[in-house]
Amino acid sequence: MKFTTAGESHGKALVGILEGLPSNMPIDEDKINEYLALRQSGYGRGGRQKIERDKVVILSGVRNRLTLGSPLAFEICNRDYANWQSVMAPEGADVTQKRLTRVRPGHADLTGVIKYAQTDARNILERASARETAVRVAGGAIAMQYLSELGIEISGCVRNVCGVEDGNSYTFEQLAEAKTHPLFMLDESAERRAMELIDKLKAEGNTAGGIVEVRVKGLKSGFGSCMQYSTKLDAILCGAVMSIQAIKGVEVGLGFEAARRPGSEVHDEIFIKDNKIYRGSNNAGGIEGGMSNGEEIILRAAMKPIPTLMKGLKTIDYVTGEPTTAAGERSDVAAICACEIIVECVVACALAEVVSARLGGDNMTEVKERYDRLP
């Protein structure tokens, strides 16, 4: 299975192609659009979310709501393109409009213009923008439907917003409630404090990041490998999550906390009862030796604050070399809820690729039969 994306933030559309799906897999467009809507939700978002209202349009690979086994192509139209056509049209545009030379700290602007020999950071930021994640959410929502056919489910919540933390323990089933909360935080007290902090940061022209937790339930043991570094499941999943804009760190299970504890408090002891092997804890986060061990997979991702601040950070004008303040390009204060949804979907895509590589199967019946035979 392979997923490819294309498109610019203010271009005509975002496009995705998902190859390797088996035939006869049900596709529910409503579920895809539900995840697209969740990506645009959350306390602290800006005005562009009111413009786009993303909807998926499936172009190929599906007939009568069932996959054909051919590449599944889809698009998400950028409604804001109507306001940017004169600037962004591939057929010809006035590139003097919306030019950006006041490169923004923390963004791809400066490194990108140097690497790609540009003088207008617009040619960099349009692709580097987190708007690209809309198409990855759509692809991930499709991958979730593939995994769900096998009984594998993915869910998550927000654990931290700019230092305001929810440190409670929750069952996998409780996580679904998080998406009904303004900040996807299950601890209502922590959520209120986080919302107050976002209001304060907004008044100051500042931004916030945070930490999200995503968990996978129902994946059997043995996915991934200990035989080659490139096939280790934790390496694949962490690499996928790190590919998301603004993610600066990923943990599996205890993560960095494991380095602070002695081995007796870290490693999950193994027991057997009624011929069933199980572990007394899940500090490993469901992955041992680069392979799933049958326990819940637990991932946490750290999102840095949005790099475009309304008050502007110190920078230079790349063309003139003069000191200045960074340009404003968007008005989100926090996008941590979007981050949680994106992490779920990126994990789904990466995991679906690993699962399909092991199981193979040209149609969904074959895939299910092969998964059911696994211990």
Side-chain angles (χ1 to χ4, degrees), residues 5-47:
T5 75
E8 286 75 46
S9 179
H10 294 98
K12 292 182 179 180
L14 300 167
V15 179
I17 299 177
L18 190 54
E19 302 175 60
L21 284 171
S23 66
N24 298 329
M25 185 188 109
I27 294 292
D28 187 336
E29 282 192 32
D30 289 341
K31 288 184 179 178
I32 302 171
N33 288 328
E34 177 185 334
Y35 260 76
L36 287 171
L38 285 169
R39 176 193 164 276
Q40 294 185 286
S41 68
Y43 198 78
R45 301 305 302 275

Side-chain angles (χ1 to χ4, degrees), residues 199-220:
D199 291 342
K200 179 176 181 290
L201 293 171
K202 182 177 181 179
E204 296 170 350
N206 217 329
T207 59
I211 297 172
V212 303
E213 179 176 290
V214 167
R215 284 150 63 180
V216 180
K217 183 177 182 180
L219 181 67
K220 292 186 177 183

Side-chain angles (χ1 to χ4, degrees), residues 56 72 275 308:
V56 70
L72 196 162
N275 292 321
T308 303

Side-chain angles (χ1 to χ4, degrees), residues 57-90:
V57 177
I58 294 178
L59 304 173
S60 69
V62 177
R63 185 185 184 205
N64 193 31
R65 296 185 289 277
L66 292 174
T67 56
L68 299 174
S70 55
L72 196 162
F74 61 91
E75 71 173 13
I76 300 167
C77 290
N78 286 329
R79 292 174 62 185
D80 207 17
Y81 178 69
N83 301 317
W84 285 74
Q85 185 171 356
S86 63
V87 182
M88 294 298 299

Side-chain angles (χ1 to χ4, degrees), residues 338-358:
C339 178
E340 194 280 323
I341 293 298
I342 295 161
V343 173
E344 282 191 34
C345 291
V346 166
V347 167
C349 282
L351 192 56
E353 186 173 343
V354 171
V355 170
S356 66
R358 185 182 184 192

Side-chain angles (χ1 to χ4, degrees), residues 222-229 231-233 288-291:
F223 286 91
S225 175
C226 60
M227 298 302 180
Q228 182 59 268
Y229 68 88
T231 58
K232 290 178 179 288
L233 183 59
E288 290 177 306
M291 300 169 287

Side-chain angles (χ1 to χ4, degrees), residues 29 68 96 102 108 110 118 127 167 178 210 225 251 254 286 294 317 320 346 375:
E29 282 192 32
L68 299 174
T96 64
R102 291 185 291 149
L110 178 57
Q118 301 287 344
R127 180 60 181 167
S225 175
E251 291 185 330
L254 277 182
D317 186 304
T320 66
V346 166

